[in-house]
């Protein structure tokens, strides 16, 4: 874009990433329009002008209204973990359709979509070249949630190709205040770097459609930063600074080899979520 967006719609603004990004995306002259199913909570995160929208991303009419007058959309709303199939379809797939269609209808020319590493969760370290696993790999989802994110990536490609909307999909690793596990020392995305990544997506001139890894400049990373760097992303944080406080950070008996070997880390399994039995076949 020729200039930074002056009015930015953030869906899922009350979620963990949305809450961390709100203050970090505040800029002089920029208005943040915060959308969530629950009334957006006020507080120190709101460092600039804020417009609150109480709505669901699955409501096309509400989304079309929310996209009025915005320059870009950062779509964070949805289910980030495994859930029942109907919920995954409705919230993640239909909800993302509503976001993209509303942006198209109202002329919001750029959408940054929060995808997930689980869209590519079955790729492994053995698949990674020396320069790191490329962000543009075909999907290999490890769960219903991962499949939904891969579907949303494809839907974003459709809107980019058919309607000329700039769509940038972020295959986010683990975005928390600090890394919590040995795996996250490789795939962590710091909140500050998350904001840098989003700003790079907003600033890039005519990016079209992009797939990017959402990670920091971690010493132990094995996913490539090249795609993000070509866009202008300059991560500045390294999870290694927290290694001493992470259990089994030196490897050894406490290290979970599956967690370190696959992109998705074995975090999810299809149809397995709290309070539900696995839908996988059992002998």
């Amino acid at each position: 874009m020729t200039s930074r967006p002056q009015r930015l719609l953030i869906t899922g603004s009350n979620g963990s990433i949305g809450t961390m990004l709100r203050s970090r995306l505040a800029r002089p002259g920029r208005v943040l329009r915060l959308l969530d199913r629950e009334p957006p909570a006020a507080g120190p995160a709101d460092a600039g002008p804020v417009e609150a929208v109480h709505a669901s991303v699955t409501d096309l009419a509400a989304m079309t209204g929310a996209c009025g007058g915005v320059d870009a959309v950062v779509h964070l709303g949805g289910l980030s973990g495994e859930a029942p199939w109907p919920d995954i379809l409705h919230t993640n797939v239909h909800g993302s359709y509503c976001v993209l269609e509303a942006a198209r209808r109202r002329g919001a020319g750029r959408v940054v979509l929060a995808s997930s590493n689980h869209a590519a969760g079955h790729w492994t370290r053995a698949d990674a070249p020396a320069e790191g696993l490329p962000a543009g790999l075909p999907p290999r989802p490890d769960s219903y949630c991962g499949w939904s994110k891969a579907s949303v990536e494809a839907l974003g490609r459709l809107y980019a190709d058919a309607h000329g909307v700039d769509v940038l999909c972020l295959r986010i690793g683990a975005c928390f205040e600090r890394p919590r596990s040995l795996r996250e020392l490789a795939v962590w995305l710091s909140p500050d770097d998350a904001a840098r990544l989003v700003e790079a997506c907003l600033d890039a001139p005519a990016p079209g459609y992009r797939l990017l890894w959402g990670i920091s400049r971690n010493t132990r990373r094995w996913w490539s930063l090249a795609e993000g760097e070509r866009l202008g992303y300059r991560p500045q944080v390294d999870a290694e600074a927290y290694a001493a406080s992470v259990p089994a950070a030196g490897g050894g008996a406490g290290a979970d080899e599956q967690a370190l070997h696959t992109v998705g880390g074995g975090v999810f399994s299809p149809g397995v979520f709290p309070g539900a039995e696995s839908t996988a076949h059992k002998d």
Side-chain angles (χ1 to χ4, degrees):
M1 305 179 83
T2 56
S3 61
R4 288 188 170 184
Q6 298 304 299
R7 180 168 275 102
L8 183 64
L9 174 63
I10 303 175
T11 72
S13 60
N14 280 2
S16 59
I17 297 180
T19 299
M20 289 187 288
L21 282 182
R22 282 157 51 176
S23 63
R24 292 174 169 91
L25 293 179
R27 295 287 184 276
R30 176 183 286 174
V31 176
L32 300 182
R33 184 173 293 174
L34 307 178
L35 183 144
D36 202 280
R37 292 183 306 174
E38 303 298 329
D46 301 329
V50 166
E51 299 172 349
V53 180
H54 181 200
S56 170
V57 295
T58 62
D59 184 334
L60 179 56
M63 284 305 309
T64 302
C67 282
V70 305
D71 301 291
V73 180
V74 178
H75 178 37
L76 305 174
L79 300 172
S80 59
E82 194 67 332
W85 180 252
D87 296 347
I88 289 286
L89 283 177
H90 184 63
T91 303
N92 287 4
V93 180
H94 176 67
S96 296
Y97 156 74
C98 290
V99 170
L100 288 162
E101 177 61 14
R104 182 195 70 81
R105 291 182 182 184
R106 300 307 296 266
R110 187 161 303 188
V111 180
V112 181
L113 294 175
S115 183
S116 169
N117 66 92
H118 298 289
H122 277 303
W123 290 101
T124 71
R125 282 181 181 266
D127 301 311
E131 62 271 20
L133 199 67
L137 285 170
R140 287 185 69 181
D142 58 10
S143 54
Y144 294 161
C145 180
W147 171 87
S148 74
K149 296 295 189 178
S151 298
V152 168
E153 293 175 356
L155 187 61
R157 182 87 215 205
L158 171 63
Y159 272 79
D161 289 344
H163 302 300
V165 179
D166 292 327
V167 179
L168 302 101
C169 303
L170 311 182
R171 288 179 166 175
I172 297 171
C175 188
F176 301 98
E177 290 291 348
R178 57 191 298 161
R180 307 163 303 170
S181 67
L182 183 58
R183 172 179 180 263
E184 291 182 6
L185 290 178
V187 306
W188 183 53
L189 175 64
S190 81
D192 286 345
D193 279 342
R196 293 183 184 103
L197 179 57
V198 171
E199 290 289 2
C201 291
L202 296 175
D203 285 350
Y209 177 82
R210 301 290 182 102
L211 280 172
L212 310 167
W213 288 121
I215 57 171
S216 288
R217 195 174 294 281
N218 306 317
T219 297
R220 306 190 193 201
R221 70 185 185 276
W222 53 281
W223 308 348
S224 174
L225 286 170
E227 294 88 349
E229 289 174 335
R230 283 195 292 270
L231 197 74
Y233 174 46
R234 300 291 182 265
Q236 299 179 20
V237 184
D238 186 347
E240 203 65 21
Y242 298 94
S245 63
V246 172
D256 185 332
E257 290 304 318
Q258 182 184 13
L260 303 181
H261 182 64
T262 63
V263 168
V267 175
F268 300 133
S269 297
V272 180
F273 49 90
E277 295 183 359
S278 172
T279 58
H281 175 70
K282 296 180 181 179
D283 292 327

